């Protein structure tokens, strides 16, 4: 059911410093920073030949990544994102198999303008897992 790895997200407390690591030290192509107030994060995408890295920095008071950064002050891998052909078909199959979808269970429009949803990390090997409609 899942297809390509769309991105790996890394939560950071200083997105400018994190971007510089990828751009200057690792020599990667990086996007401009974008604020995503609906999601409580600012993002920078690192474009690699076969996938992307999504840098996430908290935005606003109720950022969903604030707690993660309290536990991981130097940053860390926050989630992985896989592409699916039809997000509602994928969701319904996973829910039927007992997986938990975070939030109200309905897809939201993600950072790329496509529907996404998040699956409970306890159901997926301790890893927060995002699905994005390809
Ligand atoms: Co993501």
């Amino acid at each position: 059911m899942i297809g390509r790895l769309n991105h790996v997200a890394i939560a950071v407390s200083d997105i400018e410093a994190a971007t510089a690591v990828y751009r200057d030290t690792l020599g990667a192509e990086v996007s401009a920073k974008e604020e995503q107030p609906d999601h409580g994060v600012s993002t920078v995408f690192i474009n690699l030949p076969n996938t992307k890295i999504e840098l996430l920095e908290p935005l606003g008071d109720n950022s969903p990544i604030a707690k993660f950064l309290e536990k991981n002050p130097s940053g860390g891998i926050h989630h992985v994102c896989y592409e699916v052909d039809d997000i509602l078909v994928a969701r319904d199959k996973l829910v039927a198999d007992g997986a938990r979808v975070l939030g109200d269970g309905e897809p939201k429009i993600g950072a790329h303008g496509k529907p996404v949803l998040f699956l409970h990390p306890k159901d997926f090997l301790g890893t927060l897992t995002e699905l994005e409609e390809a």
Side-chain angles (χ1 to χ4, degrees), residues 29-97:
E29 180 197 326
V30 306
S31 78
K33 174 178 157 180
E34 274 185 45
E35 298 192 342
Q36 319 261 357
D38 291 353
H39 296 276
V41 294
S42 298
T43 55
V44 167
F45 282 94
I46 315 297
N47 295 307
L48 303 178
N50 61 342
T51 191
K52 296 185 280 279
I53 303 295
E54 178 184 62
L55 300 177
L56 300 172
E57 180 186 63
L59 177 67
D61 292 334
N62 292 311
S63 175
I65 64 169
K67 262 211 181 103
F68 180 91
L69 281 168
E70 265 170 44
K71 288 185 205 149
N72 303 278
S74 53
I77 293 179
H78 183 262
H79 65 266
V80 295
C81 176
Y82 302 115
E83 296 178 1
V84 294
D85 289 334
D86 184 321
I87 202 159
L88 294 176
V89 168
R91 178 199 61 187
D92 292 348
K93 182 212 183 293
L94 290 162
V95 169
D97 288 347

Side-chain angles (χ1 to χ4, degrees), residues 6-9 45 54 56 78-81 111-112 116 118 130 132:
N6 185 278
H7 61 268
V8 174
F45 282 94
E54 178 184 62
L56 300 172
H78 183 262
H79 65 266
V80 295
C81 176
H112 310 111
V116 302
F118 285 90
E130 179 180 18
E132 179 174 306

Side-chain angles (χ1 to χ4, degrees), residues 11-27:
V12 299
S13 54
D14 181 342
I15 203 165
E16 273 79 19
T19 301
V21 168
Y22 269 88
R23 185 190 54 225
D24 303 335
T25 308
L26 294 173

